[in-house]
Every structure is written in C-alpha cells, then in structure tokens.
Amino acid sequence: MNERSVTLRDVAKRAGVHPATASRALNEETRARGLVNSDTVARVMQAARELNYSPDPVARSLKTRRSHTVGVLIPDLTNPLFPPIIRGIEDRLAQSGYVALLGNTDNDPDREKLVLSGMRTRRVDGLVLATARRRYSVLSELNMGDLPIVLVNRVVEDRALPSVATDDAAGIAMAVTHLVSLGHTRIAHVAGPQELSTGAGRLSGFIMAMEAAGLEVGSESITYAENFSVAAGTKCCRELVAHKLHPTAIVAGNDMLAIGCYQALEESGLKCPADVSVVGFNDISFSSRLSPPLTSVRFPHYQVGIEVAQLILERIQAPTAPTKVLFLPPELVVRGSTAKVATP
Amino acid sequence: MNERSVTLRDVAKRAGVHPATASRALNEETRARGLVNSDTVARVMQAARELNYSPDPVARSLKTRRSHTVGVLIPDLTNPLFPPIIRGIEDRLAQSGYVALLGNTDNDPDREKLVLSGMRTRRVDGLVLATARRRYSVLSELNMGDLPIVLVNRVVEDRALPSVATDDAAGIAMAVTHLVSLGHTRIAHVAGPQELSTGAGRLSGFIMAMEAAGLEVGSESITYAENFSVAAGTKCCRELVAHKLHPTAIVAGNDMLAIGCYQALEESGLKCPADVSVVGFNDISFSSRLSPPLTSVRFPHYQVGIEVAQLILERIQAPTAPTKVLFLPPELVVRGSTAKVATP
DNA sequence: CAGATTTCTACAAACGATTGCTATGATTGC
DNA sequence: GCAATCATAGCAATCGTTTGTAGAAATCTG
C-alpha cells in the first residue's frame, strides 16, 4: 500500500552495487563515458525497472542546481492570445522533462518583480517572457543576469535577447494591402501601447505600408490606446470617427482593440463593414464567430510556443549560444469585417 | 555580481549561532513553541534581512517532503472556461506561497496517467482535478491515495471527494424557465458527454426542469454530444432540426455546443433567435460578441478558482478534514439568442 | 545552597541524489 | 615477471535545510 518510495539505495542494493555506481549506471552521460561496465548497467537498469524506481527530482535538483523548470511570465492568462502559446510551450517542455511555472503580472511592474523573484528562489532554469517592454530594466534590477531568457511575441529594442515572434510589420502590411485592394484610401490605425514592442512595431509597420501604397498618413489618422483592451479600442475609435478625416477602414493593433472599434462604430450608427472596414491582429479564437466575423492577421500561436520552448531549452543547454531571433510568418485571414469601399 | 547565493549557514554565522538555531529562529512554528530565545530570534532575523537571505525551497522540500506545489489537471487550457479558473487558483495559491503545476490531458486517459505520475514524482502536495469522470479509477491505479484532492466543476458520483462547482441543475432550470416564459414548449437539449459529471448533471437538470414546467421530454428531444466541442454541437443540432419534433428552443450543454448549434441552424436556413432560440452554459468570454449574442448560464469562474485553491490548501493542512462540497450559484445572462416563440 | 527543573543552543544525522577521488584487480608492455 | 596502465566500482563529501537529542546554562525549589 503505502510503499515507502523506492530510492536509489534500494536499486543499488538489489543490483548488488554501490549507490554511486547505480547513479552512474542510470545516467546517460556517465554511462556513455564508459565509467561503468555494461553488465552492471544492465543489472542496475533491470533492478530499477523491477522496483519501478524513479529518481527524486528534488534531491537531484539540490545537488545539480537544476530544477528542470522554466518560468513563464505573461500579462494575463485570461487574454485568449496566451493559452495556445502556453500549450505549445508546455508540450515541448514536457518532451524534455521540463515543466513550466506560470506567472501573471497584469502588466504591473511591481507584481512582475514579485513574481520574478519568486521564480528565482524557486530556481527556475530559464525564463520565458511575454511581458517585455521595449527597454527592459527589471531583469538587471533583480540580478538574474545569468539566467537564460527568451522573449515571446515581443522584441527588445536592440535585439540583444533571443525571441520568437511574428513579423508585425509584414502582418500589418498585409492588412493595409488588402484594404487598399478594396479601394480604401482613408485608412486609420488604432495603435497599441508604444512601450510594448508589438504596439510600436505595428505602428511603424502601418506607416511604412501606407507610404509604400502611396498614401498619406497624417497625425489625425492614428490614435494611441493605453493598453490592448476592448475599452481602449472603443475610446480610440470614437476619436477617429469624430474627427474630420472620415476613415473608411481601421487597422487595429490587435483583436481586442478591433472589438472595441466594433462597439464605437455601433454607437455612432456606422455599419461594419458597409461604412467602415476593420482589421484585427492575432486572430484569437472565436474571432470568426464575431459579428461581423473579424478579418485579422493570424500567426501560429501554438507553434510559437513550441519554438519558444525549443529556444529556451537550447539556451539552458548552452547558455552562450548565439542569440537567435525567430520570426514566424503572419497570414491574413479575410472575413466579413472588411469590404469594398462604398462608392461616395 | 555573481554573489554565491546566501545560505542559512551564512545567516547563522553572522548572527553567531548554529545553523540549526537559525533555522528554528526563522521558522514560525518552532519559534512559537518557544524553542528559541526572542533575543536570538531578533538577531537571526536581522542577519537574514541584512544578507537578503531566502531559504532554498529545494533543500527544504527534500527534508520536509513538501513541495509547496499543487498539480492542476485540466483537459485543455485552450478551452476558454479554464483560464479564469486557473487565474483564481494561482492567485490564491500564491498568497500562501504555493504554485500551480499545470497539466493538460486532452481528455485522454493515457495522457492523464502520464501527467499524474509526473506530478507524483515531482512531489506535488495536492491535486486539483478539472478532468474527473464520474467514476474515477485513475487515482487508485496510480496509488496516490494519500494525496489531497479537490475537484473543480465536476463532482464524482458519490461525492466522496471535495469539490467546487456550480449547481448545474439549478442553472439549467433557469434556462428552461426563461424559455418557458418566452412561450416555448418544444425545447430540446444537446447533452454533453454523460461520463462527465457536468454532462450528466445538466441532462438530469434539464429533465427535471421540463417536468417541473409540465412539459413532455421525449427521447427525440435529446441528443448526446461526444464531447464539449463546436463540431459535436453542430452534429447534434443537425439531428434535432432534421427530426419531426421541430424544437423552437435548444438548451445546449455548454457554450461550445451552443456555438455548434449556431452553425447547424445557419446551414439549415434557420434564424436564431427568430426560428430557434439557443441557450448556452458557462458564459465564456466573448459570448456577448457572438452573433447573435449568446444567452448563457454564467457562474463565477475566477471565484471558483479561488475557492478551489482555498479548499486544497485546507486539505493540505489537515488531510482528514471533512469533505466539503461547495456549490456556487449560477446566473442566467439573457442576450440576443433567445426570443419569444414565433406565433405559428 | 544542593539538587531538580526549565530554557535554550549546539551537535549530528538525516533527506536522496551526484561526483571527485581513491582503491582494487585485471591487463598490458618490456 | 615486474612495473605501469586501464577499466570499474566503492568511499565519502556535498547540496541547504530540518529536527531528535544531548548538554550547558539559568532558574527554581525546599
């Protein structure tokens, strides 16, 4: 019943060897280095199997200083962007015997510091940050300089940290091109927070794409959201429609902002897409079920998670490996929220 | 820079005491038992503060056999029902210095076994299960009988395990009553998987509520979904509309199934809510943004998470405490997917 | 004031693994 | 045939805590 959990000593005793030998026999690397006879290896493994031995990760961690754990910091799990990414991360980590420790920061620097220091004392082997501001000070403050780090969906300004993200500019360009092909010329942008890399990247992508299309982009065609929320989107969109430039299309910084636009348009009696087309970014689940179904820039969330985990594992193995910055291609999913511009 | 992490020995040395004394001085309980002089307590705590000491949880776990970690098993993080629950759990756990270890099972018993045994070797102090079938064998199989367990959103048949959930029957009853008050009499049910407690509880709630309303519920007014997915909902709804009983309202086992109904209705050229009203369950985020906005039974997800964490913490403290079964009240959110029955 | 009792603190042994070093045969070279 | 080399396995220390026990002060008791 309450079988006292079987330890390495038990295995060793059963195999008739010293615990140290048993340890080496069960350890891939030392075995490979030929430090132990293949006969005894077989005997030990047999014993381990018979006893259904599994090593105590706690004891192991204490000695090896590795927890086989990586901390994953996100603003808020409730944001539908993150669950698929997290699943990707966890699935890939599990393959290598690692687990993820989640931490929600709610975009609050204090909370972020708290969570981070908690992760440090829990001795995570690496850190995945989906919360990075463009300039990142928290890390150095907390003296976790030696910890492997990978960013998700965010890039720091100087690209000094490895990261996985989609090409924001390319995605926005696809949106703009799509709108232009529908005949739109008065295209506005609801920009996300500029201290976040996505917010800034998408704004500059918007400007570049507009210029490439030969369209003017004045200051009145851009509004800045305080954060990536529905409410902020509504607020911004209200400004846009109130202004004299009557945009026929809006490129939102993400889907939340786009949904906010829906609401503001409704309030002002404008129809989407008949009067104003709207494009989002992220293609969160259920965006196809919105009314109207949202045209959005999609990128492979789950795959991003996989790649992130891959990267952090690599860096844990070889902390000094070159700093990879990986971009996954975006894709425009055209749905009902964009339409040909109404002939005036 | 690379300050060798400060250990208990350092603190002890600085305070001029033996490490054991330092340990006791820093430990709430032993201190309370008066095992150490209050002077030395002060001195040790001072030293600890000066050195910015934080105990190594790994070493501590090794000795105390407690990991300050609880495993949380869910079918799929991607299901929008779970993120708010998880946040509740994590937030409450964090308050007590615990962390959650997530595990996705995809409703696959094998995967479930795998994840569970992983959690056991990681020495979780407790288990939160959102995946429980009505009869639960996996646990005994894995010989984790002594581990504290709490169920979320699921109840086992004999209520032998503590759990937190909403009152499924009451929620469904609210839905049925609402529909009846709108004049509906031909009300059908898309039932979830019957091996899950929610599936079964909502079905029996449906039957009871219908009888209470004096309405017949024949076998043709119930279809069974294989799982809680949009696709399964579509399939079931197709059957319902194809059948001779032409229901004017459908109570779906959850929101996913309800969305599936939307799709099937659309296919058959039926309008919701003009021709058929639909009610969901869970009120996942964005259900208000669906087309039409979904009427759904809501319960406080985040709060459920809080309560669950509370319960598992209690049980970790006192494993033999009485088995609480907590029900949180549901609430009907009426939106655009339900309407008065069309006069025939 | 001697002895019994109470308070505290130090010692040392765990917890379960890993790992540098040493010891033992066996093997080889000359 | 003896020294040097090599392949294995054992010994013991260690990671950073916690905790049972022993012993030294300090306090109390009669």
Side-chain angles (χ1 to χ4, degrees):
Chain A
M1 298 297 109
N2 191 6
E3 25 180 299
R4 187 87 191 61
S5 66
V6 26
T7 102
L8 187 59
R9 308 176 80 88
D10 302 327
V11 175
K13 203 187 303 172
R14 180 172 193 114
V17 297
H18 192 272
T21 310
S23 169
R24 285 190 250 261
L26 293 173
N27 185 329
E28 193 68 59
E29 298 181 35
T30 55
R31 207 190 317 150
R33 274 197 289 151
L35 286 184
V36 48
N37 190 316
S38 58
D39 274 8
T40 46
V41 167
R43 213 152 16 103
V44 170
M45 296 189 80
Q46 172 69 12
R49 212 172 310 118
E50 285 170 7
L51 294 176
N52 191 21
Y53 166 77
S54 81
D56 183 335
V58 176
R60 174 179 295 182
S61 290
L62 179 57
K63 184 65 181 171
T64 62
R65 322 283 314 157
R66 312 187 107 200
S67 60
H68 282 241
T69 280
V70 328
V72 177
L73 253 68
I74 56 176
D76 179 14
L77 183 60
T78 286
N79 181 334
L81 169 64
F82 294 114
I85 297 183
I86 307 265
R87 278 232 50 180
I89 294 180
E90 289 182 338
D91 287 356
R92 176 64 187 87
L93 286 183
Q95 277 180 27
S96 301
Y98 278 72
V99 299
L101 234 47
L102 249 54
N104 299 85
T105 67
D106 288 323
N107 268 324
D108 172 357
D110 288 338
R111 218 182 125 92
E112 184 163 347
K113 244 182 265 183
L114 205 71
V115 174
L116 271 175
S117 82
M119 302 211 152
R120 195 190 39 181
T121 70
R122 275 200 145 70
R123 299 231 134 74
V124 296
D125 294 338
L127 226 41
V128 169
L129 301 179
T131 59
R133 294 178 184 65
R134 285 159 68 204
R135 353 182 102 237
Y136 212 61
S137 52
V138 190
L139 290 175
S140 38
E141 277 180 36
L142 278 170
N143 179 38
M144 17 201 2
D146 45 350
L147 208 57
I149 290 182
V150 174
L151 306 182
V152 195
N153 206 24
R154 301 273 193 281
V155 179
V156 282
E157 231 157 18
D158 53 5
R159 296 200 179 171
L161 291 176
S163 60
V164 178
T166 192
D167 188 334
D168 284 329
I172 292 287
M174 296 170 86
V176 170
T177 305
H178 167 63
L179 291 171
V180 167
S181 79
L182 290 174
H184 294 274
T185 52
R186 299 201 305 281
I187 305 175
H189 180 47
V190 175
Q194 292 302 299
E195 70 270 19
L196 297 184
S197 121
T198 41
R202 288 170 197 174
L203 171 58
S204 76
F206 175 76
I207 295 173
M208 277 167 38
M210 288 291 278
E211 283 176 356
L215 294 174
E216 186 106 11
V217 35
S219 66
E220 72 284 345
S221 52
I222 294 175
T223 51
Y224 296 88
E226 301 173 343
N227 48 48
F228 279 125
S229 69
V230 173
T234 303
K235 195 173 155 199
C236 284
C237 184
R238 277 193 202 122
E239 291 176 28
L240 284 178
V241 297
H243 208 279
K244 55 181 176 290
L245 168 96
H246 290 289
T248 60
I250 298 177
V251 176
N254 80 353
D255 290 342
M256 298 290 188
L257 295 176
I259 293 174
C261 290
Y262 276 12
Q263 183 144 329
L265 291 176
E266 212 168 294
E267 288 171 8
S268 356
L270 292 168
K271 290 285 179 197
C272 171
D275 301 318
V276 180
S277 291
V278 174
V279 183
F281 205 114
N282 279 352
D283 192 40
I284 58 177
S285 57
F286 297 104
S287 53
S288 65
R289 301 277 161 193
L290 296 174
S291 161
L294 181 64
T295 296
S296 186
V297 178
R298 165 196 292 174
F299 63 95
H301 299 167
Y302 182 79
Q303 190 61 30
V304 163
I306 299 275
E307 300 289 350
V308 165
Q310 179 68 35
L311 234 58
I312 192 70
L313 286 171
E314 282 177 17
R315 280 194 93 72
I316 288 172
Q317 296 300 317
T320 59
T323 299
K324 291 189 191 170
V325 174
L326 186 59
F327 284 99
L328 269 57
E331 168 191 6
L332 184 70
V333 183
V334 177
R335 297 205 186 87
S337 67
T338 48
K340 277 196 178 149
V341 66
T343 44
Chain B
M1 297 296 111
N2 191 7
E3 24 178 298
R4 189 86 191 62
S5 66
V6 26
T7 100
L8 186 59
R9 308 177 81 87
D10 301 327
V11 175
K13 203 187 302 174
R14 182 174 191 113
V17 298
H18 192 272
T21 310
S23 169
R24 286 191 245 263
L26 293 174
N27 184 331
E28 192 69 58
E29 298 182 35
T30 57
R31 208 191 315 150
R33 274 196 290 150
L35 286 184
V36 48
N37 189 317
S38 59
D39 274 10
T40 45
V41 167
R43 213 153 16 106
V44 170
M45 295 189 81
Q46 172 69 12
R49 211 172 311 118
E50 286 170 7
L51 293 177
N52 191 20
Y53 166 76
S54 81
D56 183 334
V58 175
R60 185 194 298 237
S61 291
L62 179 57
K63 187 66 185 166
T64 63
R65 328 277 316 154
R66 312 186 106 202
S67 59
H68 282 240
T69 281
V70 327
V72 177
L73 253 70
I74 57 176
D76 180 14
L77 183 61
T78 286
N79 181 334
L81 169 64
F82 293 114
I85 296 183
I86 307 264
R87 277 232 51 181
I89 295 179
E90 289 181 338
D91 287 357
R92 176 63 188 86
L93 287 183
Q95 276 180 27
S96 300
Y98 279 71
V99 300
L101 233 48
L102 250 52
N104 299 83
T105 67
D106 288 324
N107 269 323
D108 172 357
D110 288 338
R111 219 182 124 94
E112 185 164 347
K113 243 181 267 184
L114 206 71
V115 175
L116 271 176
S117 82
M119 301 212 153
R120 195 189 41 181
T121 70
R122 272 196 147 72
R123 298 228 135 73
V124 296
D125 295 338
L127 227 39
V128 169
L129 302 180
T131 58
R133 292 173 188 68
R134 287 200 293 157
R135 349 182 106 240
Y136 211 62
S137 52
V138 190
L139 291 175
S140 39
E141 276 179 38
L142 279 171
N143 178 39
M144 15 199 5
D146 46 349
L147 209 57
I149 290 182
V150 174
L151 305 183
V152 194
N153 206 24
R154 301 272 194 282
V155 179
V156 281
E157 234 157 18
D158 53 4
R159 296 199 178 173
L161 291 176
S163 59
V164 178
T166 194
D167 188 334
D168 284 329
I172 291 287
M174 297 172 85
V176 170
T177 306
H178 167 63
L179 292 171
V180 167
S181 79
L182 290 174
H184 293 274
T185 54
R186 297 202 306 280
I187 306 176
H189 180 47
V190 175
Q194 291 302 298
E195 69 272 18
L196 297 184
S197 124
T198 42
R202 288 170 196 173
L203 170 57
S204 74
F206 176 75
I207 295 174
M208 277 166 41
M210 288 291 277
E211 283 175 357
L215 294 174
E216 185 107 11
V217 35
S219 67
E220 72 282 348
S221 53
I222 294 175
T223 51
Y224 296 89
E226 302 174 342
N227 48 48
F228 280 124
S229 69
V230 173
T234 303
K235 195 172 155 202
C236 283
C237 185
R238 276 192 203 124
E239 290 176 28
L240 285 178
V241 298
H243 209 279
K244 55 181 171 292
L245 168 98
H246 289 289
T248 60
I250 297 176
V251 176
N254 81 352
D255 290 344
M256 297 289 188
L257 295 176
I259 293 174
C261 290
Y262 277 13
Q263 182 142 330
L265 292 176
E266 212 169 293
E267 288 171 9
S268 359
L270 293 169
K271 289 284 179 198
C272 172
D275 301 317
V276 179
S277 291
V278 174
V279 182
F281 205 115
N282 279 352
D283 192 40
I284 58 178
S285 57
F286 297 104
S287 53
S288 67
R289 301 276 162 197
L290 296 174
S291 161
L294 181 64
T295 295
S296 187
V297 178
R298 167 198 289 173
F299 63 95
H301 299 169
Y302 181 79
Q303 190 61 28
V304 163
I306 299 275
E307 300 290 349
V308 164
Q310 179 68 35
L311 235 58
I312 192 71
L313 287 172
E314 283 177 16
R315 280 194 92 71
I316 289 173
Q317 296 302 316
T320 60
T323 300
K324 292 189 193 170
V325 174
L326 186 59
F327 284 99
L328 269 58
E331 168 192 9
L332 185 71
V333 183
V334 178
R335 298 205 186 87
S337 67
T338 47
K340 280 200 178 145
V341 65
T343 44

